[in-house]
Amino acid sequence: MPSPIPVTRLLPKDIYPCLDIGTCSSPLSKQCHGYTLQVPAQRLHGRVTSRLWSSVIHWKELRAVQPVGSGGFGSVYRAEYLGETVALKKVKKCAKNKLASRQSFWAELNAAHLRHRNVVRVIAATTCVPADFEDESSIGTILMEFVGNRNLQQIIYGCAELLNGDRWLRYSTDIAHGLRFLHSHSVVHLDIKPANVLVSGEDVCKIVDFGCSLKLDRGCEASAIGGTYTHRAPELLKGEGVSPKADIFSFGITLWQLITREQPYTGDKHHVLYAVVAHHLRPSVQENPVFQSEQGRLCSSLLARCWSGEARCRPSAQELLPHLEQLRNVDPL
């Protein structure tokens, strides 16, 4: 079945005009019919570099596949590929909504051709899998750079590590840099949250999991599905159009979590959804003593702008950066 998302929204313009779209399950990988997209396989870390990912996985080069984690999206493994450590992600087939499963897989590739320090890099992806790697519950496989086993969710809530002002500011600045880059290429993530931000061994944040993302075509109205309700912008909850400002709302909730190490909301999901839209419910700031310092008051002001009910009133990712830099120059929380 062809992708439900047009190939022009997944590939850079210098690639997709030469594609021969046929009946293969993937518009990106034609090797099951004797054709391949002419994107070279690449070694990592500069040995053989290209800004492009590959639609061919050289399965014989895959070694030592070990499980790392799993969830509703599928499963992630650590593996060796062409002599380097990589992350292998199998996107799960949803029996209840097969179309949504396929959309999620292709959405994972919206940023595949982009390269940035704060975005996890895609190496290769395909829906054509040899029999000895076949998994009936999987609709596709993606190879990505291996960042590590830690994400911000684990750092915020699952360990006793100190998360002081310098550290959460570095983390939030990393996320803002990643968003600025994605938005400059018309990619909206739509599921920014601590669990979707990996932290490398060098303590650098990298945005991952693009299964809800959209590539915004110029002049094209788009609607979004999926995402995490606690971080979802009110205009998306109301079914309105998507813009990069939806990611800024999610960034604001994530920044609040980094500062407070608390859960943004408690109580029934449907009550929270209604209250966010109808009563402008947001995580607590005024009652939280951590926001009483000079830095805290500046944070409070920035958060209020990020999670404004009006998307046009939120700062862009570019505008976030000087505000975060200003926070470094005042008394810490």
Side-chain angles (χ1 to χ4, degrees):
M1 175 180 177
S3 166
I5 298 178
V7 67
T8 56
R9 291 177 57 190
L10 296 170
L11 295 173
K13 291 182 179 179
D14 54 346
I15 292 182
Y16 68 72
C18 65
L19 279 174
D20 173 26
I21 306 301
T23 58
C24 181
S25 60
S26 163
L28 307 176
S29 33
K30 301 294 294 178
Q31 65 268 35
C32 53
H33 292 290
Y35 303 98
T36 57
L37 179 62
Q38 296 303 308
V39 181
Q42 56 197 46
R43 291 188 181 273
L44 312 185
H45 307 305
R47 294 186 186 179
V48 181
T49 59
S50 168
R51 72 180 181 87
L52 303 177
W53 54 280
S54 174
S55 68
V56 179
I57 295 177
H58 298 273
W59 298 98
K60 292 182 180 180
E61 299 293 335
L62 211 53
R63 303 279 189 276
V65 179
Q66 302 171 330
V68 172
S70 63
F73 58 84
S75 301
V76 177
Y77 304 82
R78 176 174 177 161
E80 299 296 318
Y81 184 66
L82 296 172
E84 303 290 347
T85 302
V86 300
L88 183 154
K89 182 173 183 177
K90 292 183 177 181
V91 179
K92 185 182 296 183
K93 183 187 300 180
C94 177
K96 294 182 180 179
N97 194 336
K98 294 181 180 179
L99 177 60
S101 297
R102 291 185 178 277
Q103 287 179 326
S104 176
F105 175 76
W106 297 116
E108 287 276 7
L109 305 180
N110 276 327
H113 62 289
L114 303 177
R115 299 289 177 262
H116 191 270
R117 178 176 184 265
N118 301 118
V119 177
V120 170
R121 181 162 63 91
V122 172
I123 300 161
T126 185
T127 59
C128 297
V129 183
D132 50 341
F133 281 89
E134 194 73 48
D135 184 345
E136 291 184 1
S137 67
S138 173
I139 62 171
T141 301
I142 303 171
L143 291 185
M144 302 172 287
E145 67 170 306
F146 184 79
V147 177
N149 298 323
R150 298 190 308 162
N151 60 41
L152 278 189
Q153 178 84 4
Q154 295 164 326
I155 290 175
I156 293 172
Y157 301 113
C159 66
E161 293 182 44
L162 184 64
L163 198 54
N164 57 25
D166 176 68
R167 195 173 180 197
W168 64 253
L169 269 172
R170 281 194 293 106
Y171 287 168
S172 56
T173 301
D174 279 352
I175 299 170
H177 275 295
L179 287 177
R180 178 181 66 172
F181 177 75
L182 291 171
H183 294 170
S184 73
H185 289 83
S186 302
V187 175
V188 188
H189 187 279
L190 297 179
D191 199 18
I192 294 295
K193 60 181 180 180
N196 287 341
V197 179
L198 299 181
V199 182
S200 73
E202 292 75 35
D203 221 27
V204 174
C205 287
K206 293 176 179 280
I207 298 170
V208 72
D209 199 343
F210 285 78
C212 295
S213 69
L214 283 175
K215 181 75 165 64
L216 298 180
D217 296 322
R218 185 173 298 178
C220 176
E221 283 291 324
S223 59
I225 58 174
T228 304
Y229 80 93
T230 52
H231 294 67
R232 200 160 172 77
E235 66 270 18
L236 302 187
L237 295 175
K238 292 187 287 185
E240 297 175 357
V242 174
S243 78
K245 297 297 184 72
D247 282 345
I248 303 302
F249 184 94
S250 304
F251 171 87
I253 304 293
T254 301
L255 175 58
W256 183 91
Q257 290 175 277
L258 278 167
I259 295 170
T260 65
R261 304 185 84 160
E262 298 175 7
Q263 295 292 345
Y265 306 114
T266 58
D268 177 73
K269 171 183 175 179
H270 297 288
H271 169 76
V272 170
L273 292 173
Y274 176 77
V276 166
V277 173
H279 302 298
H280 306 287
L281 175 67
R282 302 292 186 268
S284 173
V285 172
Q286 282 78 15
E287 299 175 5
N288 197 316
V290 77
F291 292 102
Q292 301 308 309
S293 68
E294 182 182 357
Q295 189 183 63
R297 288 189 289 273
L298 288 173
C299 282
S300 177
S301 176
L302 179 59
L303 288 171
R305 292 187 62 199
C306 287
W307 58 42
S308 168
E310 296 290 333
R312 59 183 176 80
C313 296
R314 298 172 205 151
S316 66
Q318 173 69 44
E319 292 167 338
L320 281 175
L321 293 169
H323 288 287
L324 294 171
E325 183 60 34
Q326 182 184 10
L327 291 174
R328 297 181 184 275
N329 303 319
V330 296
D331 293 335
L333 299 177

